[in-house]
Amino acid sequence: MVNSEQNNIVFYNSSPLGRLGGAGIYIHIPFCKQACHYCDFHFSTSLKKKEEMVLALAKEIELRSKSITHHPSPITESIETIYFGGGTPSILEISDLKFLIDEVYRNYKVVENPEITVEANPDDLSNEIIRQLADSPVNRLSIGIQSFFEDDLQLMNRAHNAEEAKKCLEIATQHFDNISIDLIYGIPNMSNEKWLENIQTALSFGIPHISSYALTVEPKTALHTFIQKGIIPQPDDEVAAAHFQILVDKLSENGFIHYELSNFGKEHYFSKNNSSYWLGKKYIGIGPSAHSYDGQNRGWNVSNNALYIKSIQENKLPIETETLTKTDRYNEYIMTGLRTIWGVSLERVEREFGERYLLYLLDQSKKYIQSEHLVLTGDKLTTTKKGKFLSDGIASDLFLLNLE
């Protein structure tokens, strides 16, 4: 059994403190075996530049630790989380993952027992690979199951099949304590009964964390094209809402805490990496298309593998940046806060943004409190069970266009 560090998030007045002042590093691995029909993330199905990319990622880790001429600013806080996302990080060799983790340790202060997560697809997780991962510094797996049904996986053009989905969890749970899986609901022609069976199958493996998302039709994806041509029916919002409620009820019955709109964890198993985003902590994004945030500025790398590698080889950071206005930061806080169990703190709104923002928030939220989509308890404004599925829409109605 891997020596896995649980996510020790401390709660105080309904807020997770974790280690104050910590930061995270996200490393984007822009390769996939094949393109999922619904995905609009940046990736390539060609692995020709994989070795060059790994070296470029390592060099960016070093460059970002030393540069003082760019925004977002270099991170001086200790690193609490290292997250390999994608794309498909499990497409790399274990030695590549270790090499990049070593580069983080070489260039940054890292806390004792950081959360180190690797996103993985079931078809990559053989018995031997899982054993090697368990012997590495990696202590958390995030596995892209999406569904345990063959027809769903084929519709989404996933690289794995239903048997591989179950087999990898049988093996992974023997070696890792801290595992999250992804599931997608609202898939066309998926009945409530079928969705419930998906959830029950996941629960049968004793997984302590589940991230679940409604199937979303993004522009310029294969799914969007198939729907336009009438090959696949348009996902139904009412079906997705029903699936969401089934998910919430079933996971609640089984001891999961619904701590963010799309995330459910057993106690001590919340994603520390994701929680840091929602709580406004700093993070560095390494790799093409990766985003960074230092509390005031946001940056994003070029979404082109060849241009990214060329720039890094020339010791240039291929990053564009923007400085967030006070209104931008207020809107982001409202959006992320209402998605979580920690809600929006009125005291924080007044302290960080001023009385005008607070009065605007209180005025705009009245109708949602009256309709029982929001509830104000003491200092905290949170979504109710009724309002949770609609939290993004409610948040957008509380946004300010400009108050500066």
Side-chain angles (χ1 to χ4, degrees), residues 372-374 383-392 394:
E372 298 182 343
H373 288 90
L374 293 178
T383 53
T384 62
K385 184 177 181 181
K386 177 181 176 181
K388 199 170 289 290
F389 186 68
L390 304 171
S391 62
D392 285 351
I394 295 171

Side-chain angles (χ1 to χ4, degrees), residues 292-326:
S292 302
Y293 177 65
D294 66 6
Q296 298 288 334
N297 306 283
R298 190 174 303 286
W300 54 95
N301 286 350
V302 62
S303 296
N304 180 293
N305 288 3
L307 291 178
Y308 169 81
I309 291 171
K310 182 176 183 295
S311 180
I312 294 295
Q313 289 175 342
E314 295 172 353
N315 294 316
K316 300 175 183 175
L317 291 168
I319 187 171
E320 292 184 52
T321 64
E322 64 173 345
T323 298
L324 300 181
T325 66
K326 184 189 291 187

Side-chain angles (χ1 to χ4, degrees), residues 356-388:
R356 287 190 300 165
Y357 287 82
L358 175 62
L359 293 177
Y360 177 84
L361 173 61
L362 289 172
D363 184 60
Q364 287 293 103
S365 61
K366 282 179 183 176
K367 60 185 176 182
Y368 293 109
I369 293 173
Q370 291 171 354
S371 64
E372 298 182 343
H373 288 90
L374 293 178
V375 61
L376 182 58
T377 307
D379 173 59
K380 296 293 189 296
L381 186 67
T382 56
T383 53
T384 62
K385 184 177 181 181
K386 177 181 176 181
K388 199 170 289 290

Side-chain angles (χ1 to χ4, degrees), residues 6-22:
Q6 294 184 0
N7 297 313
N8 295 315
I9 297 178
V10 179
F11 288 85
Y12 180 72
N13 290 338
S14 300
S15 295
L17 298 179
R19 298 179 178 91
L20 289 173

